[in-house]
Amino acid sequence: MPNYGVPPLALARGEGCRVWDEDGREYLDLIAGIAVSSLGHAHPALVEAVTAQVATLAHTSNLFVHEPEVRLAERLRGLLGGDGRVFLTNSGTEANECALKLAIKYGKANGRSYFVATENGFHGRSMGALSLTGKASIREPFGPYALDVRFVPYGDADALKAAVDGDCAAVILEPTQGEAGVVPPPDGYFAAARAACDATGALFIADEIQSAIGRTGAWFAFQHENARPDVLTLAKGLGGGLPIGACVAFGEHGVIFAKGDHGSTFGGNPVSAAAALAVIDTIDADGLLGHATEVGEILAAGIAAVDHPLLAGVRGRGLWRAAVLTGPHAPAVEAAARAAGFLVNAVQPDALRIAPPLILSAAGARAFTTALPAILDAATPQES
Ligand SMILES: *Cc1c(COP(=O)(O)O)cnc(C)c1O
């Protein structure tokens, strides 16, 4: 179907932070399949875990339980402080569908009917998650939606507070808006959202589908803030390239669903769960949270040091950054970077997303920032 347009490259294989296209050209992968390939490509721990699991038991359905999904749920619960309950999915949007169904059930039980989400926020492409997505160009063609969703400007704590009252079922927020261009909110925004939900009894849902599992230098981005959500969704980096997502609900919210309320045939399948355990174990054993913080600083400082008319600055945290451009140059810069051997993503017309594997070396980050001035030169529109 034509929904993706024509891709610029056909990739054939990868190793570490490098990938090769079908013509044998090598690239440094600074986008990691949209913040997914957290251990890079063909990481031995991932290969071993997936290979062993597929050779042992590849699928059970939810009619039966298996060890990898139980271990993964317990591992996530451990990383999150102990009172979480986990539902495993195959993707990000499904993790949000689970959160949404929890919130709808919670709202019905408490006479709460509407949702608050943010302008330019992104929560997925399935109909429930899409109804929460605040980007008109992807949301509106498929409306109207069954849910009453009120959108507030992202980062404005007063607007958020004013939008949440005792009829609000849930507030959903990204800790930093990913698809909007790696846009962090002002300090204290997340805590203000937590406070608005505490004051009114609305559920606070954090969409950490892009930010979780080390991307910002913490296991979860909310851990940088002084506020824990009631419900948390994650996906992208969790499986290191295998499809898996999770919805975690804390305390009493973990038992909102009763038997029969939700399900998934493939969700939490043994191979993806084994992959996720390998990702978490490797991040832990190799100190990749600290590494992502360190290399992220090197990357950001290197971008900030470039003085070029096309470049306005850099934002983000850890290995989740955007080079902000002075105009709608991102598609040209993305193409020039590719020609120079670097894969990055024109996430917005004026923002270039950089979300490499968490194993990116300092030398890899410097290779990109050293090449950046020439890339920007190559992307500069020619006067005619
Ligand atoms: C990618 C993303 C989603 C959707 O995940 P899919 O796996 O593509 O369905 C939802 N929310 C956020 C914040 C995302 O970055």
Side-chain angles (χ1 to χ4, degrees), residues 134-201:
K135 191 176 178 197
S137 62
I138 62 178
R139 178 180 199 270
E140 253 128 60
F142 299 96
Y145 297 92
L147 292 180
D148 177 5
V149 183
R150 307 185 185 167
F151 291 96
V152 294
Y154 186 71
D156 182 339
D158 292 335
L160 181 69
K161 189 166 177 242
V164 182
D165 65 26
D167 293 333
C168 178
V171 173
I172 184 164
L173 280 188
E174 297 163 83
T176 278
Q177 286 189 325
E179 298 309 302
V182 192
V183 182
D187 284 347
Y189 182 63
F190 213 71
R194 174 72 273 174
C197 291
D198 286 341
T200 57

XYZ file of all heavy atoms in Angstrom, residues 134-201:
482
model
N -2.686 14.097 18.826
C -3.027 15.510 18.652
C -2.500 16.145 17.390
O -2.396 17.366 17.314
N -2.143 15.332 16.405
C -1.669 15.901 15.157
C -2.796 15.790 14.130
O -3.151 14.685 13.699
C -0.413 15.160 14.688
C 0.271 15.880 13.555
C 1.562 15.204 13.161
C 2.161 15.956 11.986
N 3.177 15.170 11.287
N -3.337 16.945 13.742
C -4.544 16.979 12.910
C -4.376 16.185 11.616
O -5.299 15.479 11.199
C -4.914 18.426 12.617
N -3.208 16.262 10.995
C -3.054 15.654 9.666
C -3.182 14.134 9.708
O -3.554 13.523 8.705
C -1.721 16.059 9.038
O -0.651 15.585 9.822
N -2.860 13.514 10.836
C -3.040 12.065 10.877
C -4.324 11.664 11.595
O -4.838 10.572 11.401
C -1.811 11.327 11.470
C -1.515 11.711 12.904
C -0.578 11.557 10.637
C -0.340 10.942 13.485
N -4.859 12.561 12.411
C -6.047 12.232 13.193
C -7.338 12.482 12.410
O -8.210 11.615 12.315
C -6.038 13.091 14.467
C -7.222 12.917 15.365
C -7.083 13.823 16.583
N -7.938 13.381 17.653
C -9.186 13.803 17.822
N -9.702 14.691 17.007
N -9.913 13.326 18.793
N -7.420 13.686 11.843
C -8.698 14.111 11.281
C -9.234 13.281 10.111
O -10.443 13.058 10.046
C -8.648 15.600 10.931
C -9.485 16.388 11.925
C -8.764 17.546 12.574
O -8.329 18.447 11.828
O -8.634 17.543 13.814
N -8.375 12.789 9.213
C -8.937 12.022 8.088
C -9.739 10.796 8.523
O -10.538 10.272 7.748
C -7.697 11.598 7.293
C -6.634 12.559 7.675
C -6.915 12.968 9.086
N -9.537 10.312 9.756
C -10.185 9.071 10.178
C -11.245 9.264 11.259
O -11.774 8.301 11.787
C -9.118 8.045 10.587
C -8.208 7.713 9.444
C -6.986 8.349 9.291
C -8.622 6.828 8.458
C -6.171 8.077 8.204
C -7.818 6.546 7.364
C -6.594 7.175 7.232
N -11.549 10.539 11.565
C -12.590 10.822 12.543
C -13.964 10.694 11.910
O -14.063 10.415 10.712
N -15.070 10.896 12.615
C -15.079 11.245 14.043
C -14.774 10.033 14.930
O -14.870 8.889 14.491
C -16.516 11.713 14.278
C -17.326 10.946 13.280
C -16.437 10.790 12.072
N -14.431 10.317 16.181
C -14.052 9.280 17.138
C -15.104 9.134 18.230
O -15.836 10.068 18.522
C -12.692 9.626 17.757
C -11.609 9.638 16.713
C -11.277 10.818 16.048
C -10.953 8.477 16.348
C -10.307 10.833 15.060
C -9.987 8.470 15.367
C -9.664 9.656 14.719
O -8.724 9.659 13.742
N -15.094 7.971 18.828
C -16.103 7.667 19.853
C -15.799 8.356 21.181
O -16.686 8.550 21.996
C -16.182 6.156 20.057
N -14.522 8.705 21.416
C -14.145 9.271 22.717
C -14.171 10.793 22.682
O -13.843 11.403 21.670
C -12.727 8.842 23.086
C -12.485 7.384 23.403
C -11.025 7.181 23.746
C -13.363 6.915 24.549
N -14.500 11.379 23.823
C -14.410 12.829 23.988
C -12.988 13.148 24.460
O -12.644 12.869 25.613
C -15.460 13.279 25.023
C -15.396 14.773 25.314
O -14.606 15.487 24.656
O -16.144 15.212 26.216
N -12.177 13.668 23.567
C -10.785 13.975 23.900
C -10.564 15.477 23.784
O -10.889 16.078 22.758
C -9.793 13.236 22.968
C -8.355 13.512 23.394
C -10.061 11.738 22.972
N -10.041 16.089 24.838
C -9.765 17.531 24.832
C -8.257 17.731 24.753
O -7.518 17.168 25.559
C -10.349 18.173 26.078
C -11.829 17.784 26.160
C -12.580 18.437 27.265
N -13.932 17.865 27.272
C -14.815 18.012 28.237
N -14.509 18.749 29.299
N -16.005 17.458 28.151
N -7.844 18.525 23.802
C -6.408 18.715 23.572
C -5.940 20.022 24.191
O -6.585 21.054 24.045
C -6.106 18.699 22.075
C -6.306 17.336 21.467
C -7.500 17.006 20.831
C -5.323 16.361 21.569
C -7.705 15.740 20.296
C -5.511 15.092 21.046
C -6.705 14.783 20.404
N -4.808 19.939 24.878
C -4.211 21.136 25.478
C -2.806 21.315 24.903
O -2.181 20.344 24.473
C -4.125 21.015 27.019
C -5.519 20.992 27.637
C -3.329 19.791 27.455
N -2.314 22.557 24.879
C -0.949 22.767 24.366
C 0.068 22.062 25.261
O -0.027 22.167 26.488
C -0.747 24.290 24.415
C -2.020 24.886 24.895
C -2.947 23.805 25.343
N 1.000 21.341 24.664
C 1.991 20.587 25.429
C 2.934 21.538 26.158
O 3.424 22.502 25.578
C 2.793 19.685 24.490
C 3.744 18.751 25.203
C 3.264 17.674 25.928
C 5.124 18.945 25.137
C 4.125 16.805 26.583
C 5.999 18.076 25.786
C 5.497 17.006 26.510
O 6.352 16.154 27.144
N 3.184 21.262 27.433
C 4.153 22.044 28.203
C 3.528 23.168 29.009
O 4.208 23.806 29.803
N 2.234 23.412 28.825
C 1.546 24.502 29.532
C 0.799 23.909 30.739
O -0.318 23.392 30.609
C 0.584 25.193 28.561
C -0.155 26.376 29.194
O -0.247 26.422 30.448
O -0.648 27.222 28.435
N 1.429 23.986 31.913
C 0.866 23.348 33.106
C -0.472 23.961 33.503
O -1.378 23.256 33.967
C 1.867 23.430 34.264
N -0.621 25.264 33.322
C -1.882 25.925 33.688
C -3.028 25.459 32.796
O -4.141 25.203 33.267
C -1.742 27.449 33.590
C -0.791 27.991 34.664
O -0.643 27.316 35.700
O -0.194 29.061 34.433
N -2.763 25.349 31.500
C -3.796 24.882 30.564
C -4.209 23.454 30.907
O -5.396 23.102 30.842
C -3.282 24.964 29.128
N -3.229 22.648 31.290
C -3.526 21.260 31.649
C -4.409 21.225 32.899
O -5.443 20.546 32.932
C -2.218 20.500 31.882
C -2.370 19.023 32.232
C -2.881 18.240 31.039
C -1.052 18.436 32.697
N -4.011 21.981 33.898
C -4.751 22.015 35.157
C -6.192 22.475 34.912
O -7.143 21.892 35.451
C -4.038 22.966 36.120
C -4.583 22.906 37.509
C -3.641 23.604 38.501
C -4.264 23.579 39.882
N -4.540 24.895 40.426
N -6.348 23.486 34.065
C -7.679 24.032 33.794
C -8.559 23.029 33.041
O -9.789 23.072 33.121
C -7.545 25.324 32.986
N -7.922 22.100 32.295
C -8.692 21.165 31.471
C -9.151 19.935 32.251
O -9.979 19.168 31.767
C -7.849 20.731 30.271
N -8.583 19.709 33.450
C -8.864 18.475 34.192
C -9.806 18.769 35.353
O -9.454 19.519 36.261
C -7.544 17.860 34.730
C -7.828 16.554 35.458
C -6.566 17.624 33.596
N -11.014 18.187 35.300
C -11.914 18.326 36.449
C -12.413 16.948 36.877
O -11.904 15.920 36.411
C -13.056 19.310 36.149
C -13.983 18.815 35.051
O -14.087 17.580 34.855
O -14.617 19.653 34.379
N -13.382 16.918 37.753
C -13.854 15.660 38.330
C -14.556 14.743 37.343
O -14.860 13.595 37.667
N -14.823 15.224 36.115
C -15.418 14.372 35.081
C -14.368 13.750 34.156
O -14.702 13.012 33.235
C -16.381 15.189 34.201
C -17.605 15.635 34.997
O -17.955 14.940 35.971
O -18.185 16.682 34.638
N -13.119 14.103 34.385
C -12.047 13.632 33.494
C -11.649 12.212 33.890
O -11.313 11.948 35.041
C -10.851 14.577 33.594
S -9.454 14.065 32.587
N -11.670 11.291 32.910
C -11.284 9.905 33.185
C -9.770 9.764 33.245
O -9.242 9.085 34.116
C -11.853 8.977 32.120
N -9.062 10.391 32.306
C -7.609 10.213 32.277
C -6.923 11.316 31.489
O -7.492 11.890 30.559
C -7.255 8.861 31.671
N -5.686 11.557 31.880
C -4.780 12.447 31.153
C -3.685 11.562 30.577
O -3.134 10.719 31.291
C -4.144 13.476 32.115
C -3.067 14.293 31.417
C -5.219 14.375 32.720
N -3.371 11.715 29.296
C -2.255 10.965 28.711
C -1.198 11.934 28.205
O -1.516 12.915 27.527
C -2.722 9.989 27.602
C -1.534 9.154 27.105
C -3.413 10.715 26.451
C -1.927 7.921 26.308
N 0.048 11.661 28.580
C 1.169 12.541 28.240
C 2.388 11.731 27.829
O 2.681 10.704 28.448
C 1.631 13.306 29.482
C 0.926 14.528 29.982
C 1.788 15.129 31.098
C 0.737 15.537 28.869
N 3.135 12.226 26.863
C 4.492 11.739 26.638
C 5.417 12.570 27.538
O 5.242 13.783 27.630
C 4.918 11.953 25.188
C 4.097 11.207 24.154
C 4.305 11.786 22.747
O 5.281 11.413 22.093
O 3.491 12.628 22.315
N 6.434 11.946 28.149
C 7.356 12.720 29.000
C 8.155 13.744 28.199
O 8.542 14.790 28.728
C 8.282 11.679 29.605
C 7.871 10.371 29.079
C 6.719 10.508 28.157
N 8.415 13.416 26.948
C 8.944 14.348 25.947
C 8.225 13.946 24.679
O 8.071 12.752 24.426
C 10.479 14.178 25.790
O 11.151 14.895 26.827
C 10.985 14.688 24.453
N 7.733 14.898 23.892
C 7.014 14.500 22.676
C 7.998 14.006 21.618
O 8.868 14.756 21.166
C 6.203 15.671 22.138
C 4.953 15.956 22.966
C 4.043 16.975 22.314
O 4.517 17.919 21.664
N 2.746 16.806 22.474
N 7.849 12.738 21.224
C 8.784 12.133 20.277
C 8.518 12.525 18.834
O 9.337 13.194 18.187
N 7.362 12.120 18.321
C 7.070 12.367 16.898
C 6.915 13.857 16.597
O 7.073 14.285 15.459
C 5.813 11.612 16.458
C 5.927 10.098 16.569
C 7.174 9.535 15.912
O 7.353 9.764 14.699
O 7.974 8.884 16.606
N 6.619 14.645 17.614
C 6.527 16.094 17.409
C 7.908 16.716 17.197
O 8.016 17.897 16.873
C 5.827 16.756 18.590
N 8.966 15.901 17.418
C 10.313 16.405 17.180
C 11.203 16.401 18.407
O 12.065 17.261 18.533
N 11.029 15.402 19.277
C 11.816 15.311 20.520
C 11.738 16.656 21.260
O 12.720 17.386 21.386
C 13.274 14.873 20.278
C 13.943 14.500 21.603
C 13.350 13.706 19.317
N 10.523 16.974 21.717
C 10.250 18.255 22.361
C 10.046 18.025 23.867
O 9.028 17.491 24.287
C 8.966 18.904 21.784
C 8.726 20.266 22.424
C 9.067 19.017 20.268
N 11.026 18.415 24.689
C 10.848 18.256 26.138
C 9.952 19.367 26.676
O 9.968 20.478 26.147
C 12.267 18.404 26.713
C 13.180 18.656 25.550
C 12.345 18.993 24.358
N 9.183 19.071 27.735
C 8.375 20.122 28.348
C 9.244 20.940 29.300
O 10.345 20.522 29.627
C 7.335 19.330 29.142
C 8.076 18.095 29.557
C 9.049 17.785 28.432
N 8.744 22.072 29.778
C 9.483 22.804 30.813
C 9.602 21.951 32.077
O 8.771 21.077 32.309
C 8.603 24.034 31.093
C 7.591 24.086 30.022
C 7.468 22.724 29.428
N 10.615 22.211 32.887
C 10.788 21.504 34.159
C 9.519 21.612 34.980
O 8.891 22.664 35.025
C 11.945 22.121 34.966
C 13.296 21.702 34.411
O 13.324 20.757 33.589
O 14.297 22.329 34.781
N 9.142 20.530 35.614
C 7.996 20.558 36.519
C 6.663 20.240 35.861
O 5.657 20.088 36.554
N 6.643 20.115 34.543
C 5.368 19.870 33.843
C 4.766 18.521 34.221
O 3.571 18.407 34.500
C 5.587 19.961 32.335
C 4.342 19.787 31.498
C 3.282 20.686 31.593
C 4.224 18.739 30.587
C 2.146 20.549 30.815
C 3.086 18.593 29.796
C 2.056 19.496 29.915
O 0.939 19.359 29.131
N 5.613 17.504 34.239
C 5.137 16.159 34.545
C 4.569 16.102 35.970
O 3.516 15.515 36.215
C 6.304 15.175 34.375
C 5.906 13.826 33.893
C 5.469 13.631 32.589
C 5.976 12.725 34.739
C 5.105 12.370 32.139
C 5.615 11.461 34.298
C 5.186 11.285 33.006
N 5.285 16.741 36.889
C 4.820 16.774 38.283
C 3.517 17.570 38.391
O 2.628 17.219 39.180
C 5.899 17.383 39.171
N 3.365 18.613 37.592
C 2.122 19.392 37.601
C 0.958 18.545 37.080
O -0.171 18.635 37.589
C 2.286 20.656 36.756
N 1.230 17.709 36.097
C 0.186 16.811 35.583
C -0.207 15.803 36.658
O -1.397 15.521 36.856
C 0.691 16.095 34.328
N 0.790 15.275 37.343
C 0.529 14.339 38.446
C -0.367 15.020 39.495
O -1.346 14.438 39.969
C 1.880 13.914 39.051
C 1.869 13.063 40.292
C 1.434 11.627 40.060
N -0.011 11.478 40.133
C -0.678 10.369 39.864
N -0.044 9.283 39.459
N -1.976 10.321 39.954
N -0.035 16.262 39.826
C -0.794 16.997 40.845
C -2.228 17.260 40.379
O -3.179 17.130 41.158
C -0.086 18.306 41.176
N -2.406 17.604 39.096
C -3.756 17.861 38.571
C -4.594 16.591 38.640
O -5.799 16.635 38.934
C -3.676 18.378 37.132
N -3.977 15.443 38.382
C -4.708 14.170 38.446
C -5.007 13.796 39.905
O -6.101 13.319 40.217
C -3.916 13.069 37.749
S -3.851 13.301 35.957
N -4.050 14.039 40.792
C -4.287 13.752 42.217
C -5.433 14.611 42.756
O -6.249 14.143 43.551
C -3.021 14.036 43.041
C -1.966 12.960 42.837
O -2.327 11.851 42.378
O -0.783 13.233 43.107
N -5.502 15.857 42.304
C -6.512 16.784 42.823
C -7.922 16.408 42.370
O -8.902 16.726 43.047
C -6.175 18.206 42.390
N -8.025 15.747 41.207
C -9.348 15.485 40.635
C -9.704 14.009 40.565
O -10.849 13.663 40.265
C -9.403 16.030 39.193
O -8.340 15.416 38.448
C -9.240 17.543 39.160
N -8.720 13.128 40.758
C -8.981 11.689 40.648
C -8.915 11.151 39.235
O -9.280 10.000 38.991
